[in-house]
Short mmCIF file of all heavy atoms in Angstrom, two decimals:
data_model
loop_
_atom_site.label_atom_id
_atom_site.label_comp_id
_atom_site.label_asym_id
_atom_site.label_seq_id
_atom_site.Cartn_x
_atom_site.Cartn_y
_atom_site.Cartn_z
N THR A 208 186.24 -106.80 191.54
CA THR A 208 184.91 -107.52 191.16
C THR A 208 185.26 -108.15 189.82
O THR A 208 185.86 -107.66 188.92
CB THR A 208 183.85 -106.45 190.95
OG1 THR A 208 184.19 -105.53 189.94
CG2 THR A 208 183.48 -105.66 192.26
N ASN A 209 184.68 -109.37 189.77
CA ASN A 209 184.82 -110.12 188.53
C ASN A 209 186.22 -110.32 188.13
O ASN A 209 186.58 -110.23 186.86
CB ASN A 209 183.89 -109.62 187.47
CG ASN A 209 182.45 -109.61 187.81
OD1 ASN A 209 182.08 -110.39 188.65
ND2 ASN A 209 181.75 -108.56 187.38
N LEU A 210 187.18 -110.72 188.98
CA LEU A 210 188.55 -110.89 188.71
C LEU A 210 188.63 -112.37 188.24
O LEU A 210 188.27 -113.32 189.02
CB LEU A 210 189.46 -110.71 189.88
CG LEU A 210 190.89 -111.01 189.70
CD1 LEU A 210 191.53 -110.22 188.67
CD2 LEU A 210 191.68 -110.90 191.00
N ILE A 211 189.28 -112.56 187.05
CA ILE A 211 189.31 -113.84 186.49
C ILE A 211 190.72 -114.22 186.00
O ILE A 211 191.20 -113.42 185.19
CB ILE A 211 188.32 -114.23 185.40
CG1 ILE A 211 186.93 -114.08 185.96
CG2 ILE A 211 188.51 -115.68 184.82
CD1 ILE A 211 185.84 -114.00 184.87
N LEU A 212 191.44 -115.19 186.51
CA LEU A 212 192.84 -115.61 185.94
C LEU A 212 192.54 -116.81 185.11
O LEU A 212 191.87 -117.68 185.44
CB LEU A 212 193.72 -115.95 187.08
CG LEU A 212 194.10 -114.79 188.03
CD1 LEU A 212 195.04 -115.38 189.10
CD2 LEU A 212 194.83 -113.71 187.26
N SER A 213 193.21 -116.84 183.88
CA SER A 213 193.08 -117.93 183.09
C SER A 213 194.41 -118.70 183.09
O SER A 213 195.39 -118.04 182.99
CB SER A 213 192.58 -117.58 181.73
OG SER A 213 193.53 -116.73 181.09
N GLY A 214 194.36 -119.98 183.00
CA GLY A 214 195.57 -120.78 183.08
C GLY A 214 196.01 -121.48 181.75
O GLY A 214 195.14 -121.52 180.82
N GLN A 215 197.16 -122.13 181.82
CA GLN A 215 197.59 -122.79 180.68
C GLN A 215 197.80 -124.33 180.77
O GLN A 215 197.81 -125.07 179.74
CB GLN A 215 198.97 -122.31 180.23
CG GLN A 215 199.19 -120.82 180.19
CD GLN A 215 199.89 -120.31 181.45
OE1 GLN A 215 199.79 -120.88 182.49
NE2 GLN A 215 200.51 -119.13 181.34
N CYS A 216 197.80 -124.81 182.07
CA CYS A 216 198.02 -126.24 182.26
C CYS A 216 197.31 -126.78 183.49
O CYS A 216 196.99 -125.94 184.28
CB CYS A 216 199.55 -126.56 182.25
SG CYS A 216 200.37 -125.68 183.59
N GLY A 217 197.18 -128.16 183.57
CA GLY A 217 196.59 -128.73 184.75
C GLY A 217 197.43 -128.60 185.90
O GLY A 217 198.73 -128.38 185.85
N ILE A 218 196.91 -128.96 187.14
CA ILE A 218 197.66 -128.91 188.37
C ILE A 218 198.84 -129.92 188.37
O ILE A 218 199.93 -129.59 188.86
CB ILE A 218 196.70 -129.17 189.53
CG1 ILE A 218 197.43 -128.97 190.88
CG2 ILE A 218 196.12 -130.49 189.50
CD1 ILE A 218 197.97 -127.55 191.23
N ASP A 219 198.72 -131.09 187.72
CA ASP A 219 199.78 -132.08 187.62
C ASP A 219 200.99 -131.47 186.92
O ASP A 219 202.12 -131.69 187.34
CB ASP A 219 199.31 -133.30 186.94
CG ASP A 219 198.31 -134.08 187.85
OD1 ASP A 219 198.30 -133.88 188.98
OD2 ASP A 219 197.49 -134.82 187.15
N ASN A 220 200.75 -130.71 185.89
CA ASN A 220 201.88 -130.10 185.09
C ASN A 220 202.48 -129.01 185.93
O ASN A 220 203.74 -128.83 185.90
CB ASN A 220 201.36 -129.49 183.77
CG ASN A 220 200.94 -130.50 182.76
OD1 ASN A 220 201.00 -131.71 183.10
ND2 ASN A 220 200.53 -130.06 181.68
N LEU A 221 201.77 -128.33 186.74
CA LEU A 221 202.29 -127.28 187.66
C LEU A 221 203.25 -127.90 188.60
O LEU A 221 204.33 -127.49 188.91
CB LEU A 221 201.26 -126.45 188.35
CG LEU A 221 200.47 -125.44 187.50
CD1 LEU A 221 199.42 -124.80 188.36
CD2 LEU A 221 201.39 -124.47 186.95
N LEU A 222 202.70 -129.03 189.31
CA LEU A 222 203.57 -129.69 190.34
C LEU A 222 204.79 -130.29 189.79
O LEU A 222 205.87 -130.45 190.36
CB LEU A 222 202.64 -130.76 191.02
CG LEU A 222 201.47 -130.25 191.84
CD1 LEU A 222 200.67 -131.39 192.39
CD2 LEU A 222 202.03 -129.39 192.99
N ASP A 223 204.72 -130.67 188.48
CA ASP A 223 205.93 -131.37 187.79
C ASP A 223 207.09 -130.37 187.57
O ASP A 223 208.13 -130.73 187.22
CB ASP A 223 205.48 -132.08 186.48
CG ASP A 223 204.76 -133.29 186.73
OD1 ASP A 223 204.90 -133.85 187.87
OD2 ASP A 223 203.98 -133.80 185.85
N LYS A 224 206.67 -129.05 187.65
CA LYS A 224 207.73 -128.04 187.39
C LYS A 224 208.89 -128.04 188.41
O LYS A 224 209.92 -127.55 188.17
CB LYS A 224 207.15 -126.66 187.29
CG LYS A 224 206.30 -126.35 186.07
CD LYS A 224 205.80 -124.99 186.09
CE LYS A 224 204.86 -124.69 184.88
NZ LYS A 224 205.64 -124.44 183.64
N PHE A 225 208.56 -128.63 189.60
CA PHE A 225 209.55 -128.59 190.71
C PHE A 225 209.80 -130.07 191.18
O PHE A 225 208.99 -130.83 191.17
CB PHE A 225 208.87 -127.81 191.88
CG PHE A 225 208.39 -126.38 191.54
CD1 PHE A 225 207.09 -126.21 191.33
CD2 PHE A 225 209.28 -125.29 191.42
CE1 PHE A 225 206.59 -124.95 190.89
CE2 PHE A 225 208.81 -124.10 191.07
CZ PHE A 225 207.47 -123.93 190.77
N SER A 226 211.12 -130.17 191.54
CA SER A 226 211.47 -131.55 192.15
C SER A 226 210.88 -131.68 193.57
O SER A 226 210.54 -132.81 193.92
CB SER A 226 213.02 -131.77 192.10
OG SER A 226 213.51 -130.73 192.89
N ARG A 227 210.86 -130.61 194.30
CA ARG A 227 210.23 -130.59 195.63
C ARG A 227 209.53 -129.32 195.72
O ARG A 227 210.03 -128.20 195.38
CB ARG A 227 211.27 -130.64 196.77
CG ARG A 227 212.11 -131.90 196.67
CD ARG A 227 213.11 -132.01 197.85
NE ARG A 227 213.86 -130.72 197.91
CZ ARG A 227 214.37 -130.19 199.03
NH1 ARG A 227 214.22 -130.75 200.19
NH2 ARG A 227 215.13 -129.06 198.95
N CYS A 228 208.28 -129.30 196.39
CA CYS A 228 207.48 -128.14 196.55
C CYS A 228 206.53 -128.29 197.57
O CYS A 228 206.15 -129.31 198.05
CB CYS A 228 206.88 -127.63 195.24
SG CYS A 228 205.56 -128.65 194.61
N PHE A 229 206.03 -127.03 198.14
CA PHE A 229 204.91 -127.11 199.02
C PHE A 229 203.70 -126.63 198.35
O PHE A 229 203.63 -125.57 197.71
CB PHE A 229 205.27 -126.17 200.13
CG PHE A 229 204.11 -125.91 201.22
CD1 PHE A 229 203.53 -127.02 201.86
CD2 PHE A 229 203.72 -124.71 201.55
CE1 PHE A 229 202.56 -126.85 202.78
CE2 PHE A 229 202.69 -124.51 202.48
CZ PHE A 229 202.11 -125.60 203.16
N TRP A 230 202.65 -127.44 198.35
CA TRP A 230 201.41 -127.12 197.65
C TRP A 230 200.46 -126.51 198.63
O TRP A 230 199.90 -127.25 199.58
CB TRP A 230 200.83 -128.45 197.05
CG TRP A 230 199.57 -128.25 196.24
CD1 TRP A 230 198.89 -127.10 195.86
CD2 TRP A 230 198.72 -129.36 195.82
NE1 TRP A 230 197.74 -127.41 195.24
CE2 TRP A 230 197.63 -128.78 195.12
CE3 TRP A 230 198.82 -130.67 195.93
CZ2 TRP A 230 196.59 -129.57 194.62
CZ3 TRP A 230 197.79 -131.47 195.25
CH2 TRP A 230 196.80 -130.93 194.60
N VAL A 231 200.26 -125.20 198.64
CA VAL A 231 199.44 -124.53 199.69
C VAL A 231 198.01 -124.79 199.36
O VAL A 231 197.47 -124.50 198.25
CB VAL A 231 199.78 -122.96 199.57
CG1 VAL A 231 198.93 -122.16 200.55
CG2 VAL A 231 201.26 -122.69 199.76
N LYS A 232 197.25 -125.21 200.33
CA LYS A 232 195.84 -125.39 200.24
C LYS A 232 195.06 -124.41 201.05
O LYS A 232 193.96 -124.08 200.71
CB LYS A 232 195.40 -126.83 200.68
CG LYS A 232 196.15 -127.92 199.89
CD LYS A 232 195.64 -127.86 198.48
CE LYS A 232 194.33 -128.49 198.31
NZ LYS A 232 193.86 -128.70 196.92
N HIS A 233 195.61 -123.85 202.16
CA HIS A 233 195.02 -122.94 203.04
C HIS A 233 195.98 -121.86 203.57
O HIS A 233 197.12 -122.31 203.89
CB HIS A 233 194.24 -123.64 204.24
CG HIS A 233 193.33 -124.65 203.85
ND1 HIS A 233 191.98 -124.35 203.35
CD2 HIS A 233 193.37 -126.01 203.81
CE1 HIS A 233 191.34 -125.50 203.09
NE2 HIS A 233 192.14 -126.47 203.38
N VAL A 234 195.57 -120.72 203.65
CA VAL A 234 196.37 -119.64 204.25
C VAL A 234 195.63 -118.92 205.30
O VAL A 234 194.34 -118.66 205.11
CB VAL A 234 196.80 -118.58 203.17
CG1 VAL A 234 197.49 -117.50 203.79
CG2 VAL A 234 197.58 -119.26 202.07
N MET A 235 196.15 -118.61 206.44
CA MET A 235 195.50 -117.93 207.45
C MET A 235 196.15 -116.65 207.86
O MET A 235 197.42 -116.62 207.94
CB MET A 235 195.63 -118.89 208.87
CG MET A 235 194.65 -120.03 208.85
SD MET A 235 195.35 -121.71 208.47
CE MET A 235 197.03 -121.73 208.63
N GLY A 236 195.41 -115.61 207.97
CA GLY A 236 195.94 -114.27 208.24
C GLY A 236 196.40 -113.39 207.16
O GLY A 236 197.22 -112.52 207.34
N MET A 237 195.89 -113.66 205.91
CA MET A 237 196.32 -112.89 204.82
C MET A 237 195.98 -111.44 204.88
O MET A 237 196.65 -110.53 204.36
CB MET A 237 195.82 -113.49 203.50
CG MET A 237 196.49 -113.09 202.18
SD MET A 237 198.17 -113.73 202.29
CE MET A 237 199.10 -112.28 201.88
N HIS A 238 195.04 -111.07 205.79
CA HIS A 238 194.61 -109.70 205.95
C HIS A 238 195.72 -108.93 206.68
O HIS A 238 195.67 -107.72 206.77
CB HIS A 238 193.35 -109.70 206.75
CG HIS A 238 193.39 -110.30 208.09
ND1 HIS A 238 193.37 -111.60 208.30
CD2 HIS A 238 193.58 -109.64 209.32
CE1 HIS A 238 193.55 -111.83 209.65
NE2 HIS A 238 193.60 -110.70 210.25
N THR A 239 196.69 -109.56 207.22
CA THR A 239 197.79 -108.91 207.93
C THR A 239 198.91 -108.39 206.98
O THR A 239 199.88 -107.92 207.45
CB THR A 239 198.36 -109.76 209.06
OG1 THR A 239 198.88 -110.98 208.43
CG2 THR A 239 197.28 -110.20 210.01
N CYS A 240 198.72 -108.56 205.76
CA CYS A 240 199.74 -108.08 204.75
C CYS A 240 200.00 -106.59 204.86
O CYS A 240 199.08 -105.84 205.03
CB CYS A 240 199.33 -108.48 203.32
SG CYS A 240 200.47 -107.89 202.02
N ASN A 241 201.26 -106.19 204.91
CA ASN A 241 201.52 -104.80 204.94
C ASN A 241 201.15 -104.09 203.65
O ASN A 241 201.64 -104.36 202.56
CB ASN A 241 203.09 -104.58 205.16
CG ASN A 241 203.55 -103.25 205.39
OD1 ASN A 241 203.06 -102.29 204.77
ND2 ASN A 241 204.40 -103.08 206.37
#
């Protein structure tokens, strides 16, 4: 309840950390985690 993560930089800066990456927008089936 009331879980809040605080960040340090914008999304553009996060994407610049990698030369190639997959930007996940949707995940299906996370309830199946062991």
Side-chain angles (χ1 to χ4, degrees):
T208 58
N209 301 329
L210 174 66
I211 301 172
L212 294 177
S213 60
Q215 312 102 333
C216 58
I218 186 68
D219 293 334
N220 291 2
L221 287 178
L222 294 175
D223 287 340
K224 290 181 179 284
F225 307 97
S226 58
R227 296 181 311 149
C228 69
F229 177 53
W230 181 9
V231 179
K232 299 297 282 182
H233 302 283
V234 178
M235 286 102 16
M237 201 62 231
H238 64 281
T239 61
C240 176
N241 186 318

